[in-house]
Amino acid sequence: MNNYENLKNSHPCFGGQKNNKGRIHLPVSPDCNIECKFCDRKINDYEQRPGVASSIIKPEEALDIIKRSLELCPDITVAGIAGPGDTLATSNALDTFRLIKETYPDIIKCMSTNGLLLNERAEELIEVGIDSLTVTVNAVDKRIQAKLCSSIIYHGKRYEGEEAAEILIENQLEGIRKIAAAGITIKVNSVLVPGINDQHIEEIAETVSEAGAVIYNIIPLIPQHELADCEAPTCSQIDGARRKAEKYIDVFRHCQRCRADAIGIPGKKDFGGQIYFNRIAHKDTFSHG
Ligand code: CLF
Ligand code: SF4
């Protein structure tokens, strides 16, 4: 298992400094179990926004894709799964990591989740041997979370508003505690939404740090879907939020809001169009990695 100190130099999203390492995203997870108000997932080749990938692949296809990606970009050190839906809503992501572990034992296994099922699936994740985990926590107060997430589907039942928010937050924090206790390095992502959670970032940072997360990534909102009328945060709002957060936790500042099928060094040339069949070349978009 890679610890945080190792990852700072070998993982593009876990270091304070850019380290010029690459990642391959494997879009194996199509479904989601919550409804973020800023997310509108689609499969297409052209939109540059959250939740979009050009195709979904099967776990068995991942090994060949990794092999070809490493030939194109030998700087890739990380195999990441970041959607386009949630990685724990189906078993595809964990099945994919099991295959990767056998064939590429040295590649860093990185997973991103909304955390709804993290508490109940923590043991599986630990058994698979994930090296780095990202949990997207947009609020730790149910009144604020309810403004960011309309509903969840949990054990076959739909919950809305603050009731949904409470279940989500509890599972995220308990899941983080379990995963951290197993020695797995945890990053938390928050989407910064002016007027909703911008004054709440410090509390999130403090809470997730206490739960065991070690690095924090504050991602500016791309206004769309139900939050289309919100303003994107300004540079100074983003900077202010990061400064408050870093009183409690390391802050990651180089996020490129990658597509769920990005390949290469974040912010540099993307090889996804050469690997994923339907994809045409364009700039990276967001995944909740
Ligand atoms: Fe991918 Fe995310 Fe792993 Fe990185 S991305 S699953 S932690 S390997 Fe990185 Fe891309 Fe930002 Fe994510 S730059 S969107 S933080
Ligand atoms: Fe699901 Fe992620 Fe979209 Fe939220 S942002 S609805 S967790 S896919």
Side-chain angles (χ1 to χ4, degrees):
M1 187 191 296
N2 280 279
N3 63 27
Y4 183 34
E5 286 309 311
N6 296 339
L7 292 175
K8 281 180 182 173
N9 297 316
S10 55
H11 191 309
C13 318
F14 280 73
Q17 303 298 320
K18 280 188 184 167
N19 57 23
N20 286 320
K21 301 297 183 195
R23 45 78 185 105
I24 169 165
H25 278 173
L26 300 157
V28 296
S29 303
D31 302 328
C32 194
N33 41 21
I34 73 174
E35 234 186 307
C36 297
K37 292 191 180 192
F38 49 78
C39 176
D40 187 10
R41 275 169 296 125
K42 277 190 184 157
I43 300 295
N44 67 42
D45 287 333
Y46 54 89
E47 281 182 271
Q48 297 181 41
R49 60 171 188 76
V52 178
S54 61
S55 59
I56 301 296
I57 61 162
K58 297 194 178 85
E60 312 81 78
E61 294 175 275
L63 295 180
D64 181 55
I65 286 172
I66 293 174
K67 178 171 173 284
R68 288 190 289 133
S69 300
L70 286 169
E71 283 164 12
L72 284 172
C73 182
D75 296 318
I76 288 172
T77 52
V78 176
I81 305 183
D86 184 60
T87 48
L88 293 176
T90 61
S91 288
N92 298 3
L94 292 178
D95 290 347
T96 305
F97 284 128
R98 284 190 186 95
L99 294 172
I100 292 173
K101 187 160 92 172
E102 283 170 23
T103 310
Y104 294 99
D106 295 332
I107 205 159
I108 295 166
K109 294 180 288 304
C110 183
M111 186 173 135
S112 170
T113 176
N114 62 35
L116 179 65
L117 299 180
L118 187 59
N119 187 18
E120 67 196 58
R121 300 197 72 179
E123 284 75 20
E124 264 178 281
L125 209 144
I126 294 162
E127 174 264 315
V128 164
I130 301 296
D131 296 279
S132 53
L133 178 74
T134 296
V135 187
T136 300
V137 179
N138 293 322
V140 292
D141 176 325
K142 64 181 178 182
R143 289 163 302 180
I144 297 174
Q145 180 65 267
K147 294 179 185 166
L148 296 167
C149 177
S150 331
S151 68
I152 63 169
I153 303 286
Y154 185 57
H155 295 168
K157 191 174 165 196
R158 183 184 169 92
Y159 298 84
E160 295 182 349
E162 290 185 18
E163 195 183 6
E166 194 167 12
I167 296 169
L168 178 60
I169 293 166
E170 269 182 29
N171 282 321
Q172 288 173 328
L173 294 177
E174 197 46 39
I176 290 173
R177 286 185 198 105
K178 283 187 187 170
I179 299 292
I184 295 171
T185 306
I186 301 176
K187 168 162 71 60
V188 163
N189 283 0
S190 294
V191 177
L192 180 65
V193 185
I196 299 183
N197 70 356
D198 53 334
Q199 301 305 315
H200 180 52
I201 292 296
E202 200 168 338
E203 198 180 343
I204 301 175
E206 185 175 14
T207 308
V208 299
S209 171
E210 276 171 16
V214 294
I215 186 162
Y216 192 32
N217 178 21
I218 297 167
I219 304 174
L221 172 78
I222 299 175
Q224 60 171 10
H225 194 47
E226 287 185 61
L227 298 187
D229 294 334
C230 281
E231 296 282 326
T234 61
C235 291
S236 101
Q237 284 174 315
I238 299 166
D239 190 53
R242 287 174 174 161
R243 281 171 195 273
K244 284 183 188 168
E246 70 191 349
K247 288 193 257 172
Y248 306 95
I249 188 166
D250 284 356
V251 169
F252 175 63
R253 287 182 157 80
H254 309 296
C255 182
Q256 298 294 318
R257 299 191 294 198
C258 314
R259 287 178 59 97
D261 55 4
I263 300 176
I265 299 171
K268 295 199 173 167
K269 180 174 166 50
D270 187 85
F271 296 92
Q274 291 170 58
I275 297 287
Y276 292 115
F277 180 64
N278 287 321
R279 175 120 167 250
I280 54 173
H282 54 66
K283 286 179 74 178
D284 282 358
T285 64
F286 179 91
S287 75
H288 42 119

